[in-house]
Amino acid sequence: MSAAYIALVIVQALLGLMLIILVLLHAPKGEGMGGIGGGATLFAGKRGAESGLDKLTWTIVFLFIFICAVLGFGFVK
């Protein structure tokens, strides 16, 4: 195994952990039973922190998928 392969596997594992943490940090989207009585805010916009968290999460997702493709197609040997 080459050093590049080992480095990519380590980076992929760290990105996976970061992705789990970022997904858990997101606010719940569903209103549950509270939406029945009309108390739910249906079209509320995202706050600044939630928007930034979304952008960071999507960036980590794309990096994770890219590294999966690189490792899966065997570009690094």
Side-chain angles (χ1 to χ4, degrees):
M1 282 191 251
S2 69
Y5 178 80
I6 293 171
L8 280 178
V9 169
I10 291 171
V11 169
Q12 184 182 24
L14 292 174
L15 286 173
L17 289 174
M18 286 175 55
L19 192 58
I20 290 169
I21 292 168
L22 287 172
V23 167
L24 290 175
L25 285 175
H26 280 275
K29 302 290 185 220
E31 295 294 329
M33 295 297 284
I36 294 174
T41 55
L42 213 53
F43 299 106
K46 293 182 181 180
R47 294 184 174 89
E50 185 74 20
S51 176
L53 192 60
D54 278 348
K55 290 177 185 176
L56 182 61
T57 303
W58 280 110
T59 302
I60 299 296
V61 165
F62 289 130
L63 286 173
F64 185 82
I65 291 173
F66 177 74
I67 291 178
C68 282
V70 168
L71 291 173
F73 289 122
F75 294 135
V76 180
K77 293 186 179 188

